[in-house]
Amino acid sequence: MLNNQKIMDIEIFATKIRIETIKALGNLGFGHLGGAMSIVETLAVLYKEVMNIDPKNPGWKDRDYLVCSKGHAGPALYSTLALKGYFPIEDLMTLNKPETNLPSHCDRNKTKGIDMTTGSLGQGASLAAGIALGNLLDGRKNYTYLILGDGELQEGQVWEMVMFAAQRKLDHLITFVDYNKQQLDGYTKDICDLGDIAAKFESFNWQAQEVDGANIKDIYKAIESAKKAKDKPSVIVLDTIKGKDSFVEGMVNNHHVTISKDQMNKTLSKLNKKIEKAVVK
């Protein structure tokens, strides 16, 4: 169980992830801001408190793995990895620039700490199940964490994985669905309504939970509960806000946006004040 100090530490870490992500995207002048912001709290809980990792040895076979299947959220994951010491934080300023090791979508061959190349939506789901199965067959007890976008659930490949993972009883596969209710060109309910996501997974014999995707304590508790599930994979549906705590929060078309220096600086000022208030508490 997390005490109040740990919760505050993770909240500050989440805000730092947002700050570094907005700085990187702002320096570039454009990017996938909306979907990067909605998954920040989950990344903060995983990398600050939950995952068994070693930034000095990113290829350690017994580490926990993370597959960000919604690869366009890569900028937030890069910021997380930099803050954890996988590579210098200054490298974030090279995001999506020529000869960078930080491309727009996650690439395991370029970026230390990235466990799987993703970006073609749906494929990361199968890859994560493959990692989980491989570790199971090798007798390892480590966990594989998978992040899916809600719009991504419209890909049939996701549901092929869902059936496969249940059939193989991959109880060390924990999936997060970033349910921010928006996709590239609108709201999911208007494009291809997802219905009850948790119920869908449950019908495939997954353990399913729904939590506030901005609540550190609830995310952590859901992960702990997922680890107790036996002989079945788990999904945690995160009720999130696309573009949270940035100037694109509430915008309809906030998937890939241009970012002015003024927009960046105003957002950074608010986030820095948030950290100052937390420290004072």
Side-chain angles (χ1 to χ4, degrees), residues 128-264:
I131 292 171
L133 177 61
N135 285 328
L136 174 65
L137 294 175
D138 286 342
R140 294 192 171 90
K141 301 299 183 182
N142 48 345
Y143 284 87
T144 301
Y145 297 96
L146 167 66
I147 298 175
L148 296 169
D150 49 1
E152 186 174 9
L153 297 187
Q154 296 161 6
E155 296 285 350
Q157 184 169 351
V158 171
W159 300 101
E160 293 176 15
M161 180 281 291
V162 170
M163 287 188 287
F164 173 83
Q167 177 70 24
R168 299 307 295 260
K169 299 180 180 180
L170 301 181
D171 55 12
H172 277 52
L173 173 64
I174 299 176
T175 295
F176 299 92
V177 175
D178 182 15
Y179 184 45
N180 60 36
K181 298 159 281 290
Q182 292 178 252
Q183 57 192 89
L184 185 148
D185 49 359
Y187 293 101
T188 53
K189 65 180 177 62
D190 297 326
I191 296 168
C192 191
D193 197 350
L194 299 168
D196 189 331
I197 297 172
K200 280 183 167 65
F201 275 86
E202 283 182 334
S203 71
F204 285 96
N205 198 33
W206 281 53
Q207 186 215 51
Q209 303 174 76
E210 299 174 88
V211 301
D212 179 352
N215 188 299
I216 299 298
K217 185 177 180 180
D218 287 354
I219 295 169
Y220 179 82
K221 286 173 61 179
I223 295 169
E224 289 297 291
S225 176
K227 287 183 175 181
K228 295 176 183 177
K230 299 301 179 184
D231 295 330
K232 62 172 60 178
S234 296
V235 65
I236 300 169
V237 181
L238 304 160
D239 184 5
T240 59
I241 299 173
K242 196 166 186 176
K244 178 176 167 54
D245 285 350
S246 74
F247 66 92
V248 301
E249 181 177 336
M251 286 173 51
V252 176
N253 296 313
N254 61 4
H255 182 79
H256 188 283
V257 297
T258 57
I259 304 169
S260 71
K261 296 298 182 184
D262 183 59
Q263 289 169 326
M264 176 184 71

Side-chain angles (χ1 to χ4, degrees), residues 47-60:
Y47 281 89
K48 185 72 174 178
E49 188 64 28
V50 172
M51 290 178 67
N52 189 21
I53 53 175
D54 182 0
K56 294 181 180 179
N57 184 16
W60 176 39

